[in-house]
Amino acid sequence: MIGPTVVVAGCALVLAVAIGLVAHECAHALVLRLARVEYTITYFPGRSDGVLGLLASCPWAAVHPHRVDRESTTILRIAALAPVLLAAPAFALGIGGIVTAESPIVTAVVIGWLACAVPSPQDFSVAFYAHRVLEAADTDETDAAHASCAD
């Protein structure tokens, strides 16, 4: 009877990853909200039509801060690495002995959740180069101001 267990564990893994992706972006947004930084969350940016376009779109979600002060590079860095905290419940379940080889469904959920707790390469980029993000935002605002003055 291993067949149904594997199917249920696979479905649980997919569901945990889907929920974990939303939680990952919400972790970024929570830090920005607590710091009173305006932001927008975009789901499936650059998505093509259809299911294959949905699966091929990368990233599946993104948080974009607006009007960040020059002194707040620390806030951007903390927000970028905030999803690491999503690993705490998974580690607590492991330490508590709930995640075992005898519970493959729980193990699949924990693995999917932990996959979403790892900061993405874009998150690490913001964490290490937050000052460049601010410089790019300043350049974009300057370009937009020049474009509106030219009209």
Side-chain angles (χ1 to χ4, degrees), residues 9-99:
C11 292
L13 175 71
V14 170
L15 185 62
V17 169
I19 293 170
L21 286 173
V22 173
H24 179 105
E25 296 305 322
C26 288
H28 294 307
L30 177 64
V31 172
L32 293 174
R33 180 174 295 247
L34 291 174
R36 297 187 178 162
V37 174
E38 293 180 24
Y39 63 91
T40 56
I41 299 177
T42 307
Y43 294 98
F44 308 113
R47 182 190 117 176
S48 301
D49 292 332
V51 176
L52 290 177
L54 174 69
L55 294 175
S57 67
C58 192
W60 286 357
V63 175
H64 303 284
H66 303 286
R67 298 183 186 177
V68 180
D69 295 332
R70 291 305 266 157
E71 299 80 30
S72 61
T73 57
T74 303
I75 291 170
L76 286 179
R77 288 182 170 112
I78 292 170
L81 298 176
V84 168
L85 297 176
L86 294 175
F91 287 136
L93 289 174
I95 291 169
I98 296 172
V99 180

Side-chain angles (χ1 to χ4, degrees), residues 138-150:
D138 288 344
T139 303
D140 291 343
E141 288 177 11
T142 304
D143 291 344
H146 290 309
S148 65
C149 290

